[in-house]
Amino acid sequence: MTPDSLQRPASPPESAPARRPPKLAIALGALALLAAVALIARGAPEDSGKPESSQAAASGAPPSGPAHAKAAGSTGHGEPERAREKAPRFNGTTCWENLEEFNDKVTLATFREWAAPLLASKDPLVRDYLIARLAELIGDDEGHAQEVLAWTREASPAEFKLLIAGIRESKALSKLSSQLTSLGLDERIDVGRRAGYLDELQRMPRLEQAALDKLSAFAKDPAAGEAGWVTTRAIGRVMQEDYKKTGNAKPYLDKLLTIGTESTDEHIRYLALEMEMHAEAPLDAKSTERLAKILATEGSEEVRQVVAHDLSLAEDKTKVLEIYAKAFEVEKDICVRWALFRFAARAAGKDALPVMANMAMTDPRFQRNYQDFERLYASGIVDFDRIWFGLPDDNPHGCLDRHPD
């Protein structure tokens, strides 16, 4: 549990994964191991005792026989067939035996047809390989990425996930912001598929103002449902990354505050306002005032707690302490009061003690909490994280596990 945050939804912003070896090499290595295990599991052929069979096995040459010739895709004389014009019919139970041929011969134009029987095997390692191979075929070519994106419109659910993942792993993803936005907002497409497109927007380096206008309008639309939640998360995550690079979160924050104010879905309002917690961008006077109004009018106790956290990032510390004090007087929920109390310290440090003392006089349940904060500040500690970890109990009112169901 972090010292200065509330319980967060099940999908926090992801951290960057550690460097890994190329996915294709991993997939092929794992599949080769599976092939060996499969061969052992099937056991030796009935004629394995024959000298010619033993010699073939020792030398690595394929044994003769119509069954093997059919599985290996060779002629009756054991020589490879010429390149097929049609997609090969891979063995669905031992599909890894055919991956080398697939890897050598597949093109972007033949990928869907060739991948279909391999995808049908439902082998997760094979699926990982297909994603990596598709990403290689796309490369950083925007035209290739657009072609694959067009396939997703009529793809089956399983193929849709494969194609989207291939685009995601390619170097061309960042070039598709406008196309993903258009597909995600296309009312002719089912909402589930639209959510898949919108989810990819969270990986964009930035979102233009025109896209932000459209996405925020969609996110607060009651008909958006789960896709509205996904869109809100995408806006917040791009805000985090863009703010790190440019120091400007305002275009995104304005839209998130609008969603947090106007959406009729509590979960979406909660998420929209929570994203500011993760970005930790300073709040100007206008944003501070907007949050003060949300704090005074929001019906959800959980959302009011998030707002209290956000306000601790206000640039005007005096103003925010006034907002906390006023809100505490009229607040009835103890958990919201606890948020206002502790985030006053996060906002203004030791300067918040007079306001916190008045809160403890208003609500005696906070007198011991005030004494703990006062003692820690008197010891010379000024950093809020150290103050928080120095408290004898960081959840004295049993509030930190509460969040929208």
Side-chain angles (χ1 to χ4, degrees):
M1 181 179 298
T2 55
D4 58 348
S5 65
L6 306 173
Q7 182 73 24
R8 299 179 181 175
S11 301
E14 301 160 352
S15 58
R19 183 177 297 274
R20 297 176 295 181
K23 292 186 177 180
L24 181 56
I26 295 175
L28 288 175
L31 293 169
L33 178 60
L34 283 175
V37 174
L39 290 172
I40 294 172
R42 288 201 297 269
E46 293 180 0
D47 59 349
S48 61
K50 296 181 182 180
E52 58 270 26
S53 298
S54 300
Q55 183 177 358
S59 65
S64 62
H68 180 81
K70 181 177 180 181
S74 60
T75 66
H77 299 288
E79 297 185 7
E81 292 182 353
R82 296 184 179 182
R84 296 178 176 84
E85 295 181 358
K86 296 183 178 180
R89 297 178 63 186
F90 296 132
N91 186 325
T93 58
T94 58
C95 56
W96 47 82
E97 295 178 353
N98 307 103
L99 285 183
E100 184 174 357
E101 179 185 5
F102 181 99
N103 189 57
D104 291 340
K105 296 181 179 180
V106 73
T107 66
L108 189 65
T110 62
F111 180 85
R112 292 186 76 186
E113 190 176 6
W114 282 45
L118 296 177
L119 184 61
S121 72
K122 298 183 180 180
D123 187 318
L125 291 176
V126 173
R127 182 180 178 275
D128 289 345
Y129 161 76
L130 291 174
I131 292 171
R133 190 69 184 95
L134 178 57
E136 290 178 344
L137 291 171
I138 295 171
D140 62 355
D141 190 307
E142 182 178 354
H144 289 170
Q146 289 179 351
E147 181 178 358
V148 176
L149 190 61
W151 297 344
T152 63
R153 296 197 61 159
E154 80 278 358
S156 67
E159 189 187 25
F160 177 88
K161 292 179 181 179
L162 168 64
L163 298 176
I164 283 290
I167 295 172
R168 179 188 311 136
E169 297 299 322
S170 76
K171 296 179 179 179
L173 174 64
S174 61
K175 302 176 182 180
L176 299 182
S177 179
S178 61
Q179 293 91 336
L180 288 167
T181 301
S182 296
L183 288 169
L185 301 180
D186 190 338
E187 296 181 355
R188 296 169 296 180
I189 301 175
D190 66 90
V191 174
R193 197 170 301 242
R194 292 165 68 185
Y197 297 129
L198 294 166
D199 192 44
E200 297 307 313
L201 290 174
Q202 66 178 294
R203 299 172 178 86
M204 296 295 112
R206 67 189 307 268
L207 293 172
E208 300 296 337
Q209 188 63 51
L212 281 172
D213 292 341
K214 294 177 182 177
L215 292 170
S216 61
F218 174 74
K220 65 184 182 180
D221 185 341
E226 182 69 15
W229 192 93
V230 168
T231 303
T232 303
R233 182 178 63 178
I235 295 172
R237 287 186 172 172
V238 177
M239 175 180 71
Q240 289 176 250
E241 296 306 311
D242 201 3
Y243 175 65
K244 290 177 184 177
K245 292 179 290 187
T246 67
N248 181 22
K250 184 173 176 53
Y252 307 93
L253 184 57
D254 285 347
K255 297 305 179 184
L256 289 171
L257 291 178
T258 298
I259 296 169
T261 303
E262 299 179 11
S263 174
T264 59
D265 188 315
E266 178 185 343
H267 295 79
I268 292 177
R269 295 198 309 276
Y270 184 100
L271 177 65
L273 297 167
E274 185 195 34
M275 298 312 294
E276 163 62 1
M277 289 165 46
H278 299 307
E280 295 191 333
L283 299 174
D284 60 17
K286 182 178 179 181
S287 297
T288 301
E289 188 61 33
R290 292 182 70 182
L291 283 166
K293 290 180 180 178
I294 297 174
L295 185 62
T297 58
E298 170 62 47
S300 165
E301 291 85 359
E302 287 77 12
V303 176
R304 295 202 299 277
Q305 290 181 62
V306 176
V307 174
H309 189 149
D310 287 347
L311 282 167
S312 68
L313 298 167
E315 294 175 326
D316 188 337
K317 305 304 182 184
T318 301
K319 177 65 175 178
V320 79
L321 287 178
E322 292 175 0
I323 294 171
Y324 283 144
K326 182 178 179 180
F328 193 95
E329 288 289 337
V330 298
E331 181 59 58
K332 302 301 180 185
D333 185 84
I334 188 172
C335 291
V336 181
R337 279 188 162 184
W338 172 231
L340 295 166
F341 182 89
R342 71 183 189 274
F343 289 129
R346 186 175 191 263
K350 188 176 181 179
D351 292 341
L353 285 176
V355 173
M356 297 167 73
N358 288 333
M359 291 177 175
M361 291 180 63
T362 300
D363 189 337
R365 291 174 294 183
F366 291 89
Q367 289 183 359
R368 179 171 294 181
N369 304 134
Y370 172 75
Q371 293 168 3
D372 291 333
F373 275 91
E374 184 183 41
R375 170 179 51 81
L376 290 167
Y377 279 120
S379 71
I381 300 174
V382 296
D383 179 72
F384 180 77
D385 287 346
R386 292 184 60 202
I387 291 286
W388 181 263
F389 287 116
L391 294 174
D393 184 358
D394 64 358
N395 191 21
H397 304 288
C399 299
L400 298 187
D401 295 328
R402 286 176 47 176
H403 56 86
D405 297 327

